[in-house]
Amino acid sequence: MQCFRRQPKRSVSQENMLLEQSRRVAALNGIRLGLKDDKDLKFLLKGSQLLKVKSSSWRKERFYKLQEDCKTIWQESKKVLRSPESQIFSIEDIRDVRSGHKTEGMEKYAKDVPEYRCFSIIFKDQRKNLDLIASSEDDANHWISGLGKIIAHSNSMNQKQKLQHWIHTCLRKADKNKDNKMSLKELKDFLKEVNIEVDDYHAKKIFQHCDKSKTEALEDDEIEEFYKILTERKEIDNIFQMYSDSEGFMSCQNLVRFLYETQQEEDAVVAAPALIQRYEPNERAKRGNAMTKDGFLMYLLSDEGNIFNSSHRKVYQDMTQPLSHYLVSSSHNTYLMEDQITGPSSTEAYIRALTKGCRCVELDCWDGPNSEPVIYHGYTLTSKILFSDVIKAIKNYAFKTSPYPVIISLENHCSVDQQKVMAQHMTTILEDMLLVVPVDGNKSQFPSPEQLKGKILVKGKKLSRQEDPTNGNNNLEAEDVSDEDEAAEIEDESVKTEVQQKGKSDTLKLAKELSDTVVYCKSVHFEGFDDPSHPRAFYEMSSFSESKALKLAQESGTSFIHHNVRHLSRIYPAGWRTDSSNYNPVDLWNVGCQIVALNFQTAGTEMDVYQGRFQDNGFSGYVLKPEFLRDEQTKFNPKSITEGTWGTKKKLLLKIISGQQLPKVNKSKNSIVDPKVTIEIHGVQQDNNKKQTKVIENNGFNPKWDEEFTFDIEIPALALVRFVVEDFDMSTKNDFIGQFTLPFTSLKQGYRHIHLLTKNGDPYSSSTLFVYINIQDCD
């Protein structure tokens, strides 16, 4: 039988001392966040009772409190055997805090409570929303305002401040007896906490070096000394020494030389003084127009030192070309949160997609009870949501991330009466956002994203006698049109049975009111590429399954490109992808397909590449295709590249130098990652490539690789570069740690930091790779 040692009971004075110490730590962390003596922060640190809402019958009181680290929230739980870790969530995991009834849960289960007492916490990952009711308006405001301030201030901290905050939090965690001192055992526990395995000899050596007082415990200045040793970046010190003087200053002139020669910055003369003013913490150096080692590190960790070209974070491309000249960020079956057969449908899925920059969302519409159309994946067990609720969500979130147009892709299975209801909801809810007449009378080609700013377009069927949707409407009430039923293509036995029982028709009666909402995106079946003597109208567009589109790309690449210069093409995942897996979008972009729809809810390489492509051009959801994909006379074929004006071939020289603060994959205290980096090129077939570093054992805190790689890039305009960090495992599949993907044309040269993203595409607070990039023209 195992015996448990009872912890000695603390005296009242000890308890008071610990409480006071906790208050001091919280106050210090508040100052670090720039929230000294903030009333909302003090309220959150004290905590309060809140009603947690899960359903109409589950509404229970729980205590919530901000911890002294000002980074995590502790929540009371009545569950038996619940681990302490599961009662805590990080503020870094919060995407949004919404006041009132702004989630499905609040809408359904808290309508009886005044909005001013309600708020919801929305998480970044697939975690369910946390719907909460405060006991008063004041309490609710404290939580909403306090969390908002902490999130905003945390996001505005520079990398050095984030690192300092994180390390001091880990030090506090390792200080088990809370005496503000660190024993050798606590130091070893701390190193495991920050993801580094150090043998006893090295741990003792560091400890003895810092223990100047010889008291067998580190405190105050000794802990600061230990912090300095731990955060030392020798690889950056070596670069700095090449450009600095004997006193440890890099003059403005030498910074200009570094920026111009190494970083390939063309505006180095203008940039250098601005960087010194922005990042140099030493006032003496700043006055002397020079930079210290600390300022140099802060620059390299900043947006200007990022591998992604910071000027591409703004819209910089020409947005006045026809809509068909752009790649458009697009989601498939947007309403689904999980798989295609039994998973939940939710308006939250639309909000998530739109805030990720998505500009084309899909609505599968079916007749619902009480004459209200519903959205779900037909013939399956996925749950249903109201069409009107989805239109409201689209209205509220369509233009929060990007001002450029949103396309509503309708798959309509409704009766004529409920189609009229759909049309009425769109016109009354969206009001003047809904585009119902051509822009500036343009009837020969698509208007541009610039002309369509703030507008919502409908893609759907059009009554055949209204041949030209840009020519106004006639008096036809309804008629049969061909049905497009992607749900019927699902390769699942229960779905096939359901389709047979319902006796699916090839036609559908279309209401004039719904037809009238379609202006520029008329859905038609693909009958083959244009006959030059009978060209199709520009506003007619087709949807292709991934397999049909890939076949066309393989067999008729150049014809597909010509088609996509004038027409929009939408691609959707194959019917066998019932698990909501994704296909590779790159092969379809390479032939100019604009609306390449993926399952946004499914993380993985395909979604990483997708988000990498669309972080370009200011995350606007629109990326201008290269000139050779916009030319109706182009001879370009990605499957058979010949000489042409496709851009200069490039050689990419890349050095993976080191990693910083890689997260733990396995939360077990004794589990340390063994990281390795893989570099992938995604583009035309000749450019697709993959190379990897060696494995560094037991060090996720500051691994060093110093390995060089070379890649030849045939078509730079179509290439993307993906950096993936994994925890190597000899016996099982490697665990994902983090990744970053960007267009080749957005790469910055020189010494750069890569700020890694989580599996769901959200940034880690301080996990980075340090690399060197050099791009040369090929002979």
Side-chain angles (χ1 to χ4, degrees):
M1 184 177 175
Q2 189 177 359
C3 294
F4 291 95
R5 211 171 113 202
R6 189 188 294 271
Q7 291 292 320
K9 196 177 177 189
R10 294 191 184 106
S11 67
V12 175
S13 63
Q14 282 175 318
E15 288 290 348
N16 288 340
M17 189 179 76
L18 286 172
L19 198 61
E20 182 53 37
Q21 203 179 94
S22 177
R23 284 198 195 104
R24 279 204 308 272
V25 171
L28 184 64
N29 285 323
I31 292 167
R32 283 196 185 116
L33 280 170
L35 294 171
K36 185 183 178 184
D37 297 330
D38 183 85
K39 285 179 184 174
D40 293 321
L41 185 71
K42 284 181 176 176
F43 179 88
L44 266 59
L45 286 163
K46 193 175 169 187
S48 75
Q49 296 285 350
L50 296 168
L51 278 177
K52 184 177 178 179
V53 181
K54 280 189 176 179
S55 70
S56 51
S57 58
W58 201 104
R59 191 185 283 183
K60 295 182 181 177
E61 198 169 73
R62 296 286 183 263
F63 187 75
Y64 288 81
K65 178 185 182 298
L66 178 67
Q67 306 242 96
E68 63 183 35
D69 61 5
C70 295
K71 283 176 65 175
T72 49
I73 304 278
W74 180 84
Q75 52 185 337
E76 178 190 12
S77 175
K78 303 288 185 187
K79 283 184 184 172
V80 182
L81 299 177
R82 186 166 180 179
S83 68
E85 288 79 14
S86 65
Q87 289 181 251
I88 292 169
F89 62 86
S90 171
I91 284 176
E92 283 176 10
D93 295 337
I94 298 175
R95 184 180 298 285
D96 193 14
V97 182
R98 294 184 202 151
S99 60
H101 303 145
K102 300 274 174 56
T103 63
E104 282 177 2
M106 283 301 199
E107 213 31 75
K108 281 182 190 172
Y109 312 128
K111 276 292 193 184
D112 59 315
V113 181
E115 281 210 69
Y116 56 74
R117 283 176 50 203
C118 300
F119 67 98
S120 302
I121 293 173
I122 317 300
F123 294 101
K124 287 178 180 174
D125 51 25
Q126 303 297 327
R127 218 180 317 180
K128 286 180 181 170
N129 300 336
L130 185 55
D131 293 323
L132 299 164
I133 299 170
S135 57
S136 68
E137 184 178 3
D138 276 353
D139 281 12
N141 287 339
H142 278 309
W143 277 102
I144 296 161
S145 176
L147 288 172
K149 285 179 197 171
I150 296 168
I151 292 165
H153 284 256
S154 295
N155 289 342
S156 65
M157 287 168 89
N158 63 45
Q159 287 295 119
K160 197 170 179 187
Q161 288 169 322
K162 285 179 184 174
L163 174 61
Q164 194 175 22
H165 192 174
W166 176 64
I167 285 182
H168 279 279
T169 301
C170 292
L171 281 167
R172 179 91 180 135
K173 203 168 169 184
D175 182 14
K176 293 285 187 266
N177 60 2
K178 306 297 179 208
D179 62 355
N180 275 346
K181 298 176 184 177
M182 186 179 280
S183 66
L184 178 58
K185 184 184 182 306
E186 286 173 335
L187 179 132
K188 282 156 76 175
D189 286 345
F190 164 79
L191 290 170
K192 283 178 182 171
E193 187 67 40
V194 299
N195 209 359
I196 183 169
E197 181 80 70
V198 177
D199 62 40
D200 288 353
Y201 171 77
H202 280 99
K204 197 166 184 181
K205 202 172 169 188
I206 296 169
F207 186 84
Q208 286 172 342
H209 173 82
C210 298
D211 185 19
K212 308 286 190 211
S213 59
K214 307 295 178 199
T215 56
E216 295 296 314
L218 307 185
E219 51 188 312
D220 302 331
D221 292 346
E222 293 170 340
I223 290 176
E224 285 303 314
E225 174 71 13
F226 169 65
Y227 168 79
K228 278 181 187 167
I229 290 170
L230 197 65
T231 55
E232 198 172 34
R233 296 283 303 273
K234 284 183 180 169
E235 70 276 33
I236 289 177
D237 294 351
N238 293 338
I239 303 163
F240 182 78
Q241 281 167 11
M242 290 162 63
Y243 292 89
S244 62
D245 60 26
S246 56
E247 289 184 34
F249 291 105
M250 183 190 285
S251 67
C252 187
Q253 191 178 352
N254 278 350
L255 180 57
V256 168
R257 194 160 60 85
F258 170 75
L259 293 174
Y260 188 74
E261 293 172 359
T262 306
Q263 305 295 81
Q264 305 287 305
E265 301 283 8
E266 290 175 11
D267 62 345
V269 175
V270 177
L275 291 175
I276 290 168
Q277 290 307 308
R278 197 171 301 139
Y279 298 114
E280 181 48 58
N282 183 308
E283 286 301 323
R284 182 184 151 213
K286 202 185 274 191
R287 283 195 301 272
N289 205 17
M291 199 175 244
T292 62
K293 192 166 66 178
D294 281 350
F296 186 63
L297 174 59
M298 284 173 78
Y299 148 65
L300 285 173
L301 283 166
S302 75
D303 217 29
E304 284 93 343
N306 199 312
I307 192 170
F308 183 80
N309 189 334
S310 59
S311 68
H312 292 189
R313 293 196 195 283
K314 300 188 288 286
V315 173
Y316 68 96
Q317 295 176 345
D318 177 6
M319 300 302 281
T320 63
Q321 302 215 17
L323 201 65
S324 55
H325 287 192
Y326 298 84
L327 305 180
V328 184
S329 178
S330 308
S331 154
H332 170 249
N333 287 355
T334 313
Y335 47 88
L336 292 177
M337 299 285 279
E338 294 170 14
D339 65 66
Q340 305 284 311
I341 306 293
T342 59
S345 305
S346 171
T347 55
E348 196 61 47
Y350 286 90
I351 295 168
R352 287 182 183 183
L354 290 166
T355 52
K356 280 186 171 182
C358 178
R359 299 289 85 193
C360 179
V361 293
E362 188 176 358
L363 285 67
D364 281 5
C365 311
W366 299 78
D367 280 356
N370 307 317
S371 301
E372 281 293 339
V374 294
I375 289 173
Y376 83 112
H377 205 189
Y379 317 113
T380 71
L381 299 174
T382 57
S383 63
K384 299 176 174 72
I385 49 177
L386 287 174
F387 177 84
S388 58
D389 285 346
V390 169
I391 298 300
K392 285 174 193 167
I394 291 171
K395 179 187 180 175
N396 292 334
Y397 288 88
F399 304 111
K400 283 190 183 292
T401 300
S402 165
Y404 293 102
V406 167
I407 300 168
I408 290 177
S409 179
L410 290 182
E411 191 174 306
N412 167 29
H413 305 277
C414 291
S415 61
V416 169
D417 285 346
Q418 292 214 12
Q419 288 176 42
K420 290 177 181 177
V421 175
M422 285 166 62
Q424 186 185 3
H425 282 321
M426 286 195 286
T427 50
T428 56
I429 294 167
L430 298 177
E431 300 176 300
D432 60 355
M433 281 184 183
L434 184 68
L435 187 85
V436 289
V437 291
V439 175
D440 299 337
N442 192 342
K443 298 176 183 179
S444 58
Q445 66 173 15
F446 281 109
S448 68
E450 191 63 36
Q451 289 174 296
L452 292 167
K453 262 185 174 175
K455 290 294 180 186
I456 294 173
L457 285 67
V458 176
K459 170 200 160 295
K461 289 290 178 182
K462 192 82 180 163
L463 293 173
S464 62
R465 290 182 210 173
Q466 293 177 283
E467 275 308 320
D468 182 355
T470 64
N471 256 342
N473 307 318
N474 63 18
N475 296 318
L476 192 70
E477 284 304 314
E479 71 167 27
D480 287 341
V481 294
S482 61
D483 187 21
E484 289 186 359
D485 192 353
E486 290 169 21
E489 296 176 27
I490 291 181
E491 293 182 21
D492 179 85
E493 287 310 313
S494 61
V495 170
K496 285 177 182 173
T497 306
E498 187 77 11
V499 172
Q500 283 168 356
Q501 285 173 353
K502 288 195 174 177
K504 191 179 101 61
S505 168
D506 289 335
T507 60
L508 172 87
K509 201 166 277 299
L510 180 65
K512 175 183 178 294
E513 290 84 346
L514 191 60
S515 175
D516 287 349
T517 65
V518 177
V519 178
Y520 285 118
C521 301
K522 177 185 175 183
S523 295
V524 297
H525 280 293
F526 181 71
E527 305 289 353
F529 294 121
D530 270 359
D531 174 354
S533 58
H534 297 93
R536 265 169 50 180
F538 75 91
Y539 50 77
E540 291 187 346
M541 65 174 289
S542 300
S543 292
F544 307 85
S545 70
E546 64 174 276
S547 49
K548 185 172 182 180
L550 287 168
K551 191 170 187 287
L552 288 170
Q554 181 69 42
E555 296 173 0
S556 316
T558 307
S559 298
F560 211 170
I561 291 169
H562 292 162
H563 173 84
N564 288 327
V565 173
R566 225 169 142 254
H567 300 278
L568 290 173
S569 291
R570 176 178 164 271
I571 321 298
Y572 58 91
W576 57 265
R577 295 186 184 275
T578 55
D579 59 350
S580 294
S581 61
N582 280 313
Y583 56 97
N584 177 9
V586 177
D587 291 336
L588 286 317
W589 289 333
N590 289 349
V591 289
C593 295
Q594 303 88 348
I595 301 176
V596 181
L598 293 198
N599 292 305
F600 268 48
Q601 72 273 33
T602 306
T605 304
E606 297 80 12
M607 203 61 215
D608 293 344
V609 168
Y610 206 86
Q611 291 296 84
R613 171 55 75 200
F614 286 106
Q615 71 169 314
D616 194 8
N617 201 32
F619 201 53
S620 63
Y622 285 85
V623 172
L624 186 65
K625 295 192 274 189
E627 199 279 328
F628 56 83
L629 293 182
R630 294 180 270 128
D631 175 11
E632 287 192 75
Q633 307 303 315
T634 190
K635 302 265 194 307
F636 180 73
N637 184 345
K639 298 295 179 187
S640 173
I641 293 169
T642 54
E643 289 300 315
T645 55
W646 331 130
T648 310
K649 297 176 190 176
K650 302 287 183 184
K651 188 178 283 292
L652 171 62
L653 305 167
L654 196 153
K655 186 177 185 181
I656 304 290
I657 301 169
S658 60
Q660 294 75 41
Q661 292 88 59
L662 303 179
K664 277 190 166 196
V665 177
N666 184 337
K667 295 299 179 191
S668 153
K669 189 174 94 171
N670 293 314
S671 173
I672 312 294
V673 300
D674 303 324
K676 70 161 192 167
V677 182
T678 304
I679 308 104
E680 302 169 354
I681 308 293
H682 298 261
V684 295
Q685 208 165 327
Q686 289 98 310
D687 289 344
N688 291 340
N689 205 342
K690 184 190 286 192
K691 296 179 181 180
Q692 58 192 40
T693 65
K694 60 181 178 281
V695 176
I696 303 292
E697 292 187 359
N698 289 327
N699 188 350
F701 183 75
N702 55 4
K704 291 184 175 52
W705 289 279
D706 282 321
E707 289 187 62
E708 295 181 358
F709 303 92
T710 305
F711 297 91
D712 290 326
I713 311 292
E714 185 92 15
I715 311 290
L718 298 179
L720 295 108
V721 188
R722 181 172 182 251
F723 299 86
V724 197
V725 188
E726 292 176 307
D727 180 13
F728 177 74
D729 195 311
M730 195 158 315
S731 55
T732 60
K733 189 174 175 236
N734 295 338
D735 287 318
F736 174 90
I737 293 176
Q739 69 84 31
F740 189 77
T741 308
L742 74 166
F744 181 86
T745 51
S746 295
L747 279 171
K748 291 290 279 183
Q749 298 192 64
Y751 290 101
R752 302 286 169 181
H753 277 97
I754 299 171
H755 294 259
L756 295 172
L757 305 178
T758 67
K759 190 180 285 187
N760 292 303
D762 298 305
Y764 284 115
S765 63
S766 52
S767 298
T768 53
L769 292 177
F770 187 52
V771 300
Y772 175 76
I773 306 280
N774 183 249
I775 299 168
Q776 299 170 0
D777 290 349
C778 285
D779 299 332

